[in-house]
Amino acid sequence: MKILVTGGAGFIGSAVVRQAVARGHAVVNLDALTYAANLENVASVADSPLYAFEHVDIRDRAALDRVLADHRPDAILHLAAESHVDRSIDGPGAFIETNVTGTYNLLEAARAYWTAQGRPDAFRFHHISTDEVFGSLGETGQFTEDTPYDPRSPYSASKAASDHLVRAWHETYGLPVVLTNCSNNYGPFHFPEKLVPVVILKALAGQPIPVYGDGGNVRDWLYVEDHADALLTVLERGEIGRSYNIGGENEARNIDLVRTICAHLDDLRPEGAPHDRLIAFVTDRPGHDRRYAIDPTRIRTELGWRPSVTVEQGLRLTVEWYLANEDWWRPLLDRQGVGQRLGTA
Ligand SMILES: NC(=O)c1ccc[n+]([C@@H]2O[C@H](COP(=O)([O-])OP(=O)(O)OC[C@H]3O[C@@H](n4cnc5c(N)ncnc54)[C@H](O)[C@@H]3O)[C@@H](O)[C@H]2O)c1
């Protein structure tokens, strides 16, 4: 296949680009290169004849039409988004522009391109979304694909809006779409504003490790390479018009996740041990969802997909990667907003 990946210079998109090229797909990486992007993430495939890059903003409809006409992809994997909840609290406008209007532009460009091709059934518009659209769970229960949407942050509301647009373009125009809603990712190339890299890098620097609220918020943690594998599985075998929840089968409280990372660091960098002495509880995020949990039955039973690593294994790999790749993360600490407390409203 020739796959157009939007947001392929970001954390998850770059994992998809690397895996797709490794599987022999041709990939066009379309990315606006915002603060969260890094072309180093795809350096390992940059010289491949299967890889091309387009520096394009999904808010630019004319540029999207040009890219589709030039490259003629068989599928679009849409990951480009503003993705940080704390930034959405401080500046929701960018989230509406990219996640809602940008997705609308991409749907319209895809519809025009697909129609001009004679509306092939084999075409796919795969929209990548989050479990955060489902809102916040109590102590029990899990999100299924039928859970009603109940987004509570500007980020999750903008992603929910984009999901609705994608479904509407399928129902109204017949565009062959699939959707996935995924839990929290972690792993190599994770931008150092998200919890896992923040913990690793603060601990390595001997600085306080900020934990929001009481640390009791629960997330279902998924290793990013497993997510990329799941996305390619859904792209190849998912049913048109269907959505799939993707989870890591690894629920953990934030505080336990942070302690696990500290324990790995104690082992790998004993001179800083015990790293958990650096844990510092800070004021909670406004509207902080308490618990997310994914029921993965559909993707497991219909597509035979399961995550390949436990959170223990994945965190070990991640800590090892950050220890070995300071050249990658050190320059990112100077990017706007990194290391600052954002989203306190
Ligand atoms: N990180 C997670 O845990 C998680 C979980 C579930 C779903 N998702 C979804 O997966 C997708 C990727 O998330 P991520 O964590 O890799 O995000 P990221 O912030 O690391 O990367 C986003 C990429 O999109 C690009 N981008 C942003 N605005 C753009 C625009 N207007 N035009 C073109 N490119 C633009 C950025 O330059 C960046 O390369 C997002 O849609 C996100 O909502 C993320």
Side-chain angles (χ1 to χ4, degrees):
M1 268 196 272
K2 183 183 266 193
I3 307 171
L4 177 70
V5 178
T6 73
F11 168 49
I12 301 169
S14 65
V16 172
V17 168
R18 295 189 304 269
Q19 278 196 30
V21 169
R23 291 187 192 195
H25 296 300
V27 173
V28 181
N29 176 7
L30 182 156
D31 201 294
L33 300 182
T34 69
Y35 81 93
N38 193 344
L39 285 174
E40 290 297 316
N41 300 3
V42 288
S44 62
V45 297
D47 295 331
S48 165
L50 293 174
Y51 176 81
F53 177 67
E54 290 280 359
H55 186 189
V56 163
D57 194 311
I58 59 168
R59 293 170 298 181
D60 181 348
R61 169 68 197 276
L64 295 177
D65 289 340
R66 199 265 306 155
V67 168
L68 289 170
D70 283 357
H71 293 282
R72 302 170 68 84
D74 306 305
I76 297 174
L77 267 169
H78 177 35
L79 296 103
E82 290 290 340
S83 70
H84 191 36
V85 176
D86 287 342
R87 289 186 192 255
S88 83
I89 295 168
D90 292 339
F95 289 71
I96 305 305
E97 287 171 19
T98 283
N99 300 0
V100 185
T101 308
T103 299
Y104 159 73
N105 273 333
L106 189 64
L107 282 166
E108 279 295 77
R111 181 165 76 94
Y113 166 74
W114 172 70
T115 303
Q117 304 275 312
R119 299 165 58 98
D121 285 344
F123 182 76
R124 285 293 178 283
F125 186 105
H126 181 164
H127 179 62
I128 284 73
S129 191
T130 165
D131 61 354
E132 302 191 25
V133 298
F134 299 121
S136 185
L137 290 166
E139 294 293 313
T140 58
Q142 290 183 316
F143 300 133
T144 72
E145 289 79 2
D146 298 323
T147 301
Y149 277 31
D150 184 23
R152 293 156 32 99
S153 75
Y155 164 67
S156 55
S158 70
K159 291 296 292 186
S162 67
D163 293 11
H164 292 318
L165 291 175
V166 172
R167 284 200 179 87
W169 259 241
H170 172 63
E171 297 294 339
T172 304
Y173 305 112
L175 190 70
V177 309
V178 283
L179 297 92
T180 47
N181 293 84
C182 180
S183 61
N184 278 47
N185 283 221
Y186 67 95
F189 301 103
H190 206 179
F191 192 75
E193 65 182 354
K194 304 280 172 70
L195 178 63
V196 169
V198 164
V199 172
I200 297 169
L201 301 186
K202 290 288 185 192
L204 282 177
Q207 294 170 358
I209 300 169
V211 175
Y212 290 179
D214 64 359
N217 303 71
V218 174
R219 301 292 182 259
D220 175 3
W221 293 92
L222 176 65
Y223 192 56
V224 68
E225 296 293 337
D226 277 342
H227 188 195
D229 178 54
L231 293 179
L232 291 171
T233 301
V234 171
L235 180 69
E236 288 159 4
R237 293 193 278 119
E239 190 180 311
I240 291 176
R242 205 148 171 79
S243 71
Y244 298 85
N245 283 358
I246 306 172
E249 301 180 21
N250 280 300
E251 265 190 65
R253 296 189 310 158
N254 284 352
I255 186 65
D256 296 328
L257 185 94
V258 171
R259 291 210 169 100
T260 303
I261 295 169
C262 288
H264 286 305
L265 280 168
D266 291 348
D267 200 22
L268 295 162
R269 277 288 164 94
E271 58 270 29
H275 291 90
D276 65 1
R277 76 186 189 289
L278 298 165
I279 291 171
F281 293 96
V282 299
T283 314
D284 208 353
R285 167 191 286 164
H288 200 180
D289 292 338
R290 190 66 180 171
R291 177 169 166 264
Y292 305 138
I294 289 273
D295 177 347
T297 304
R298 178 176 290 178
I299 192 165
R300 191 195 298 160
T301 56
E302 295 184 13
L303 304 182
W305 184 87
R306 289 195 75 162
S308 72
V309 295
T310 65
V311 74
E312 277 283 335
Q313 295 166 325
L315 283 176
R316 181 72 171 200
L317 293 170
T318 305
V319 171
E320 287 171 349
W321 188 88
Y322 278 85
L323 289 174
N325 287 280
E326 184 168 348
D327 289 353
W328 179 86
W329 56 259
R330 177 73 62 192
L332 301 179
L333 301 182
D334 295 330
R335 292 208 181 168
Q336 182 264 327
V338 174
Q340 294 168 19
R341 178 69 202 269
L342 303 173
T344 49

